[in-house]
Amino acid sequence: MLKQNSGEGSSIDISFEQAQQRNFMATLSVEKNESLYVLHPSQIVVFQGASYQREDSFMRIPNMYRKKKFLHSRIRGPASLMIGLPDQYCITTLPIEAEDDLLFEFKNVLFYTEGIKYHAHVQSVRNAVITRDLVKMRFEGPGTLGLLTAGPLYTMELHPVKPVYIDMACLVAFPQKADIRLCVYGNTLASQNMNYQWEMTGHGSVLLQPCKPNKALDEQMENDSFIRRILREVIPFGGIFIR
């Protein structure tokens, strides 16, 4: 079993169990008088605590659309829970401070601790066209953010002048003031056979997932029938009977 400390003063301890060199289960421990919000409740495999310590509620409508989920769970400590990980996916805990300016892909957020606030950041028209997304999510601490990524989370420093080219499917978060441009690079054959890239310069770090998400691994991360998702979330035991 591997241990990962989520940071000094954090209320969350996380450990991993491995099978054939891959993490397949994460255990989260929540201390007394602390709370954890899980945005993928269906990934909870085991819960250890009193029944009343888990409270499910509906997300706000804009977040339902962005997350492609309808419910989230609040876990009050002291309690622990085990979260199952799709093959090749990893969980990373990230300390969030009050002045952090990273803009996140909301689909990668698995959980966050109580005390963290988040709001929609409306991008400039130029950046919205480039990123194909009008809104990104900005989190403010202090607290801890849990990210679900395809492969281990990787941090890369930006340079104010020398650009870095990043595959759009691999970018998890980037600084709010980063300068970005949609592009391809290389010779004609290369540019015709690659995904769109983000050319980025600026100050701060970007967060990357080194593997491109596999649509077959986690349907919660991908598109699904709107009606089917509603029925799974709202009808009791809908996740069992509706596939």
Side-chain angles (χ1 to χ4, degrees):
M1 181 174 290
L2 301 179
K3 282 286 188 179
Q4 175 179 328
N5 194 323
S6 56
E8 184 177 355
S10 172
S11 60
I12 302 299
D13 290 323
I14 181 171
S15 60
F16 299 101
E17 295 182 23
Q18 289 188 324
Q20 298 178 349
Q21 304 303 315
R22 292 182 178 179
N23 298 329
F24 70 99
M25 193 81 74
T27 300
L28 307 178
S29 299
V30 187
E31 301 298 329
K32 186 177 180 181
N33 299 324
E34 301 289 347
S35 293
L36 179 73
Y37 291 85
V38 181
L39 303 185
H40 285 263
S42 59
Q43 295 301 121
I44 298 176
V45 178
V46 176
F47 171 76
Q48 187 173 17
S51 178
Y52 68 85
Q53 290 176 263
R54 171 174 171 168
E55 301 173 0
D56 283 16
S57 58
F58 287 98
M59 293 184 185
R60 290 176 293 179
I61 292 177
N63 292 341
M64 291 181 184
Y65 172 77
R66 298 185 190 105
K67 194 66 177 173
K68 299 182 177 67
K69 297 283 295 175
F70 296 93
L71 302 176
H72 63 178
S73 296
R74 181 190 182 194
I75 306 296
R76 290 186 289 165
S80 64
L81 60 154
M82 299 179 73
I83 294 181
L85 302 180
D87 189 24
Q88 298 181 357
Y89 278 77
C90 297
I91 295 177
T92 303
T93 54
L94 186 70
I96 300 294
E97 304 299 335
E99 301 301 323
D100 280 356
D101 69 341
L102 285 176
L103 302 179
F104 286 85
E105 291 284 351
F106 199 39
K107 68 180 181 181
N108 291 104
V109 179
L110 176 63
F111 65 81
Y112 61 91
T113 57
E114 190 152 35
I116 280 188
K117 298 179 181 179
Y118 64 92
H119 59 270
H121 172 78
V122 180
Q123 300 194 94
S124 66
V125 174
R126 174 180 175 273
N127 284 2
V129 171
I130 291 173
T131 62
R132 300 178 183 178
D133 194 354
L134 179 62
V135 173
K136 297 291 183 183
M137 303 304 294
R138 180 176 175 180
F139 292 81
E140 298 176 354
T144 300
L145 195 64
L147 299 174
L148 181 64
T149 56
L153 190 69
Y154 182 77
T155 302
M156 174 180 288
E157 290 290 328
L158 293 177
H159 191 278
V161 178
K162 298 178 181 179
V164 60
Y165 300 91
I166 302 173
D167 190 306
M168 291 178 61
C170 296
L171 191 61
V172 175
F174 61 93
Q176 179 176 334
K177 296 182 180 180
D179 186 20
I180 61 178
R181 185 170 71 90
L182 188 65
C183 69
V184 291
Y185 61 90
N187 63 7
T188 302
L189 185 60
S191 63
Q192 290 176 347
N193 291 277
M194 68 170 60
N195 291 335
Y196 281 115
Q197 308 285 312
W198 288 10
E199 180 187 284
M200 305 188 72
T201 56
H203 299 277
S205 301
V206 295
L207 304 182
L208 308 171
Q209 51 185 3
C211 304
K212 295 181 182 180
N214 187 330
K215 294 182 179 181
L217 294 178
D218 186 9
E219 71 176 79
Q220 293 177 358
M221 301 282 283
E222 304 298 333
N223 291 327
D224 194 6
S225 164
F226 184 75
I227 299 299
R228 191 178 293 268
R229 293 201 308 270
I230 291 178
L231 295 177
R232 283 202 198 103
E233 299 284 359
V234 176
I235 296 177
F237 304 106
I240 297 175
F241 299 110
I242 301 174
R243 298 294 182 181

